[in-house]
Amino acid sequence: MTATTPEEQFEKTFRLVCRLDDADIDYVRDTAEWIRRCVGRVLAVNPSATANDVTPIVVDMSTRGRWRLMRPETVGEQLALPVPPTPTE
């Protein structure tokens, strides 16, 4: 059995942020503003998309904490990505 140093015994962790005002993130407090910015980014990245098609998806995403905590421009860029084809069996 070999001895290990205290630094090697445990995985190093990072500080968890519990409050949004304590976080180093660009949180958009107004949901309508978040939706507007997200839809705007999708339309800028994908000119063939229409606001009528994108807005219901973005409104739904705005109700989900995982997406809502992200910058709207980041979410918009992900929405504008092409959908990969489904593998055929």
Side-chain angles (χ1 to χ4, degrees), residues 1 6-7 19 29 37 44 48 52-54 57-59 61-63 66 71 76 83:
M1 184 169 159
E7 294 83 25
R19 296 175 19 190
R29 293 187 186 274
R37 287 171 52 182
S48 65
N52 288 337
D53 293 335
V54 174
I57 298 166
V58 173
V59 168
M61 293 176 88
S62 73
T63 64
R66 174 177 182 257
R71 290 185 59 226
V83 178

Side-chain angles (χ1 to χ4, degrees), residues 1-75:
M1 184 169 159
T2 61
T4 59
T5 62
E7 294 83 25
E8 295 174 352
Q9 289 180 358
F10 300 101
E11 179 181 333
K12 295 188 184 207
T13 60
F14 55 92
R15 184 172 77 87
L16 294 176
V17 176
C18 298
R19 296 175 19 190
L20 288 175
D21 58 350
D22 191 28
D24 187 23
I25 60 173
D26 181 23
Y27 180 70
V28 180
R29 293 187 186 274
D30 183 29
T31 301
E33 173 71 12
W34 188 90
I35 292 168
R36 185 191 66 75
R37 287 171 52 182
C38 186
V39 169
R41 187 63 187 153
V42 172
L43 298 178
V45 173
N46 184 356
S48 65
T50 65
N52 288 337
D53 293 335
V54 174
T55 301
I57 298 166
V58 173
V59 168
D60 180 58
M61 293 176 88
S62 73
T63 64
R64 303 175 192 278
R66 174 177 182 257
W67 297 107
R68 186 61 180 81
L69 290 173
M70 295 174 67
R71 290 185 59 226
E73 291 79 13
T74 303
V75 176

